[in-house]
């Protein structure tokens, strides 16, 4: 009996040691050996899936960068329409300066309650005439006096009004002038004539001309553009005669 029990115990110990040995071997073995073919197939499927997702993301990113939103088309600036010049004004300008006359301004220009017009023979811009501003050969200011247009200022070779030559007008004949003008709310039309020499700019100071309410005519101004100068019936003394 005792011998039989010893045999049974010995057999149980061997069995136990054998099971423990296999269990330990299973724990110590690499995991991928225990996963078998199914685990390997799953990992093999994950690799192309990740690669496909990365390629798809890169394609979306590049597609987003290459596509720009359409830029709005800038609208063309619309200039206000210039007031139409009445036929009466056009006809008066042509009567003084011919068919090539151009009306530059008209209306109650000097705030005296009478209609006036400013017209000129403007030199068109060409490669030989690239001077800035409005270049004219002749210019006039005319006033409507009870239905009749009367010339009150002339610019041709010299500056003149019905009383004579304006102060500061050049003694030598001038063939071209740069004309600048502006409308002052209080003083009315202000004109600036700069004599030119041929097709070059002479860089001289412009001659200011304005309506004198005291004498009721256009007169030139001194170099401060504050005081009016008297006219002269002759060119020998037109430089600086104060009124």
């Amino acid at each position: 009996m005792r011998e039989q029990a010893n045999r049974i115990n010995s057999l149980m110990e061997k069995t136990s040691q054998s099971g423990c040995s296999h269990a330990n071997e299973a724990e110590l073995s690499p995991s991928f050996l225990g996963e078998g073919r199914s685990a390997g197939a799953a990992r093999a499927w994950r690799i192309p899936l990740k690669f496909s997702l990365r390629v798809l993301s890169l394609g979306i990113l590049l597609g987003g960068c290459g596509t720009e939103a359409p830029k709005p088309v800038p609208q063309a600036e619309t200039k206000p329409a210039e007031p139409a010049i009445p036929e009466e004004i056009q006809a008066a300008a042509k009567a003084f300066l011919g068919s090539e006359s151009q009306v530059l301004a008209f209306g109650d220009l000097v705030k005296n309650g009478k209609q006036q017009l400013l017209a000129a023979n403007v030199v068109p811009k060409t490669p030989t005439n690239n001077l800035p501003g409005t270049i004219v050969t002749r210019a006039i200011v005319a006033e409507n006096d009870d239905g009749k247009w009367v010339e009150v200022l002339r610019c041709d070779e010299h500056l003149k009004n019905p009383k004579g030559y304006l102060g500061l007008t050049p003694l030598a004949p001038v063939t071209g002038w740069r004309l600048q003008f502006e409308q002052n709310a209080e003083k009315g039309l202000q004109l600036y004539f700069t004599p030119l020499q041929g097709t070059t700019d002479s860089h001289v100071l412009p001659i200011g001309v304005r309506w004198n309410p005291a004498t009721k005519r256009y007169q030139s101004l001194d170099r401060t553009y504050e005081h009016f100068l008297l006219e002269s019936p002759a060119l020998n003394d037109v430089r600086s005669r104060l009124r």
Side-chain angles (χ1 to χ4, degrees), residues 8 34 44 67-68 70 86 97 110 117 161 163 236:
I8 293 173
T67 305
E68 295 183 359
L97 297 176
V110 295
L117 68 89
N161 69 13
K163 294 289 184 180
N236 57 1

Side-chain angles (χ1 to χ4, degrees), residues 3-224:
E3 183 178 352
Q4 187 177 0
N6 291 334
R7 288 179 181 177
I8 293 173
N9 291 335
S10 176
L11 180 60
M12 290 177 65
E13 288 178 359
K14 289 182 180 180
T15 304
S16 173
Q17 290 175 359
S18 175
C20 291
S21 175
H22 285 293
N24 292 336
E25 287 178 1
E27 290 179 359
L28 295 176
S29 64
S31 59
F32 68 86
L33 293 178
E35 292 174 355
R37 291 185 180 180
S38 60
R43 290 196 173 191
W45 179 80
R46 288 195 191 101
I47 293 174
L49 176 60
K50 290 181 179 179
F51 179 78
S52 300
L53 291 175
R54 290 179 181 176
V55 171
L56 179 60
S57 301
L58 181 60
I60 294 173
L61 179 61
L62 293 177
C65 294
T67 305
E68 295 183 359
K71 297 181 180 179
V73 179
Q75 296 181 353
E77 295 183 0
T78 57
K79 296 182 179 179
E82 297 182 357
I85 301 173
E87 294 183 4
E88 178 189 2
I89 302 294
Q90 293 277 20
K94 290 180 180 180
F96 290 108
L97 297 176
S99 60
E100 299 299 324
S101 62
Q102 181 177 339
V103 177
L104 303 178
F106 65 94
D108 188 1
L109 301 181
V110 295
K111 313 300 180 184
N112 66 346
K114 295 184 178 182
Q115 291 290 307
Q116 292 188 350
L117 68 89
L118 169 64
N121 294 134
V122 179
V123 179
K125 295 296 182 182
T126 63
T128 57
N129 172 35
N130 56 3
L131 294 174
T134 303
I135 308 303
V136 304
T137 55
R138 294 186 300 168
I140 59 101
V141 176
E143 183 177 85
N144 191 327
D145 187 10
D146 293 332
K148 182 180 179 180
W149 287 96
V150 180
E151 183 180 297
V152 292
L153 176 68
R154 172 167 286 267
C155 167
D156 46 25
E157 293 181 338
H158 304 281
L159 297 174
K160 296 173 283 189
N161 69 13
K163 294 289 184 180
Y165 296 93
L166 300 190
L168 299 181
T169 188
L171 299 178
V174 178
T175 58
W177 304 80
R178 177 185 292 112
L179 171 61
Q180 298 166 282
F181 63 94
E182 60 185 5
Q183 192 70 30
N184 185 280
E186 297 179 0
K187 299 177 180 179
L189 181 65
Q190 301 185 97
L191 300 157
Y192 301 92
F193 296 92
T194 305
L196 303 177
Q197 297 177 353
T199 58
T200 61
D201 194 342
S202 59
H203 298 288
V204 299
L205 292 175
I207 301 170
V209 177
R210 197 172 72 227
W211 179 265
N212 185 350
T215 61
K216 294 182 174 54
R217 59 181 180 266
Y218 282 95
Q219 292 179 310
S220 58
L221 299 162
D222 65 3
R223 288 310 184 191
T224 66

